[in-house]
Amino acid sequence: MVILHFLAGTVKLNIDSSDAQRDFNTAIGTALLSGVFLFSIRVIQKQAAKNLYSMLNVIGKRDEFWLHRKKLSEQFAKHLILSVAVSFIMPLLYMLSEGLLVRLHEKEVFIVAVGAIPFWLLLTLFVLQLITVNRYSWKILFGGDIDLVDKLKLYSRVMKMAMITLATIGLVLAVIPVFWINQPIHFFDIATLIFLLTLIVSFLFAPFVYIALIVGKVKYALAKDIDKRVDKLIKESVVYERSQEIEELLYIKEKYCN
C-alpha cells in the first residue's frame, strides 16, 4: 500500500502544505496499520488455535477441538461481513467530519479514501477477533468442574493469550502517532481512539485483571490443600514409605503456587 501511494503521487517527500501533510500522514498511517492489523489477526488466530487445543487437552475434551474451530470460523465469517460494511461507512464519516468530500475529485484524496477501505476493514476485524477469541477462551475456562491444578493450567493459557493480544494492541498504539506528524489531533481521531480503548478495557483488560486475581486465590487454595495432604501423610505413615508421594506434592506446589 505504501508503494502504491508513492506511485500514485499521494505520498511525496516534498510536503508544501497542511493538506499535503495530512494526506501524507493518512496514507502512511493507514498503510502501516493495515499491515499491523493483518499480521496481528494471523498471530491471534494461530495462538488461539494452539491454546484452544491445549485447554481442551487439559479438561479431557481434545476430540471437540474441530467443533470449536468450526464455531470460531463461523464467527470469523460473520465478522468479515460486518467489517466490510464498516470499511465503507467509516471513510465516508471521516471525510464528512473533516470536510474532505469537496476534495474527493482530487486524485490524492480519492486514493487516500480508497486506501482507507482495507484499513477500516482490518481494524474492525482485528477488534472483533480480539474480543471474540479471548471471550471464547474464558468460556472454556469457566465451564466444567476440574481440580485446582488443571484450573491453574487453564488460567495460564488464558493469561498467555491475553498477553499476546495486549502485545498486538501495544504494536498498534505505537504506529498511531504517525497520523499526527506536524498536524493537530482532530476530534474524529480522539473519539475513535477513546471508543477503541473503551472496548479494549471493557472486554480484555478488565477480565485479564479479574482472572489474575482468581489465579492468586486458586494458588493459595492449592498450596493450603497440599500442605494439609503432606501433614496427613507424615502423621499417618512412616515418612520414607510415602516420600515419593510427598515429593510429588511438593513439586506441584513449587511449580504451580510460586
Side-chain angles (χ1 to χ4, degrees), residues 81-105:
I81 294 171
L82 178 61
S83 299
V84 170
V86 172
S87 69
F88 285 96
I89 294 171
M90 291 306 293
L92 181 60
L93 291 178
Y94 179 79
M95 287 188 290
L96 283 171
S97 68
E98 298 297 320
L100 293 175
L101 280 178
V102 295
R103 295 181 54 209
L104 191 59
H105 64 279

Side-chain angles (χ1 to χ4, degrees), residues 226-243:
I226 289 175
D227 288 338
K228 286 183 179 179
R229 291 169 65 183
V230 170
D231 289 340
K232 185 178 180 181
L233 288 171
I234 292 174
K235 290 176 181 178
E236 293 182 353
S237 62
V238 179
V239 175
Y240 73 85
E241 292 179 353
R242 296 293 185 90
S243 61

Side-chain angles (χ1 to χ4, degrees), residues 147-185:
D147 61 41
L148 294 176
V149 174
D150 286 341
K151 273 189 178 180
L152 286 176
K153 290 178 181 178
L154 293 181
Y155 282 128
S156 67
R157 288 294 178 183
V158 173
M159 295 282 282
K160 182 181 178 181
M161 189 65 215
M163 290 298 294
I164 291 170
T165 52
L166 286 173
T168 61
I169 291 169
L171 185 60
V172 170
L173 293 177
V175 178
I176 285 178
V178 170
F179 289 95
W180 305 323
I181 297 173
N182 296 327
Q183 284 283 300
I185 303 175

Side-chain angles (χ1 to χ4, degrees), residues 56-74:
L56 292 173
N57 191 43
V58 169
I59 61 178
K61 296 182 178 180
R62 187 171 53 186
D63 56 330
E64 296 182 5
F65 174 72
W66 294 109
L67 176 63
H68 289 284
R69 281 300 302 272
K70 183 181 178 181
K71 290 181 180 179
L72 288 171
S73 297
E74 290 172 351

Side-chain angles (χ1 to χ4, degrees), residues 201-241:
V201 170
S202 301
F203 292 98
L204 183 62
F205 188 72
F208 176 79
V209 174
Y210 173 70
I211 289 174
L213 293 174
I214 292 179
V215 167
K217 292 180 181 179
V218 174
K219 284 184 176 182
Y220 175 77
L222 178 61
K224 196 172 181 179
D225 180 63
I226 289 175
D227 288 338
K228 286 183 179 179
R229 291 169 65 183
V230 170
D231 289 340
K232 185 178 180 181
L233 288 171
I234 292 174
K235 290 176 181 178
E236 293 182 353
S237 62
V238 179
V239 175
Y240 73 85
E241 292 179 353

Side-chain angles (χ1 to χ4, degrees), residues 137-150:
S137 298
W138 301 331
K139 182 180 178 181
I140 295 175
L141 178 64
F142 295 113
D145 185 23
I146 56 176
D147 61 41
L148 294 176
V149 174
D150 286 341

